[in-house]
Amino acid sequence: MKERHPQTQGIWTSAGESIRFPSGESVVALAERLTAFAERLRCGSYGTALVVAHGGSLRVLVCCLAGLGLSSWREMRIERASLSIIEMKGREGKVLLLNDVSHLAIREAVK
């Protein structure tokens, strides 16, 4: 990123929800798109759903489903291949598990 897009230097620490990479969408635009998806999840027609996405998208989706403000997206960490569980009861979402990577340690123990 430093070489290809030097103008993004420091963007994660200074831009808040207005972060926008060149040719990309802002966090606010991402949240608008994910809010529509969250509404479909809330309707309950999916039953149990598995969502696989990038960390930033997942953090924003957790905010949408758990009723957190968008500013909270930066306050959580979601690692690659981690598991997070949000239980939906009606329109309310409760975070049961966030960023669990314990299953990754099993692979290390087998080696």
Side-chain angles (χ1 to χ4, degrees):
M1 285 297 291
K2 288 179 185 178
E3 291 174 17
R4 295 180 79 186
H5 301 287
Q7 72 276 23
T8 63
Q9 187 74 15
I11 197 170
W12 289 111
T13 56
S14 63
E17 291 84 48
S18 64
I19 291 173
R20 181 185 177 133
F21 285 96
S23 302
E25 67 184 336
S26 68
V27 175
V28 172
L30 173 64
E32 289 171 3
R33 189 164 49 92
L34 287 173
T35 298
F37 177 62
E39 286 302 314
R40 292 195 341 238
L41 290 173
R42 279 191 183 104
C43 77
S45 63
Y46 286 102
T48 300
L50 171 68
V51 177
V52 179
H54 292 280
S57 299
L58 290 172
R59 290 182 295 169
V60 172
L61 183 60
V62 167
C63 289
C64 292
L65 292 173
L68 302 171
L70 182 55
S71 61
S72 297
W73 82 279
R74 296 180 72 160
E75 304 302 321
M76 65 184 83
R77 189 171 170 164
I78 297 187
E79 299 290 339
R80 289 183 209 114
S82 67
L83 301 173
S84 297
I85 299 173
I86 301 175
E87 179 182 61
M88 300 304 299
K89 288 193 175 180
R91 301 193 56 76
E92 301 293 318
K94 183 175 183 180
V95 178
L96 301 181
L97 184 68
L98 184 68
N99 193 39
D100 178 48
V101 292
S102 62
H103 60 285
L104 300 177
I106 294 171
R107 191 176 77 217
E108 293 299 319
V110 173
K111 287 184 179 179

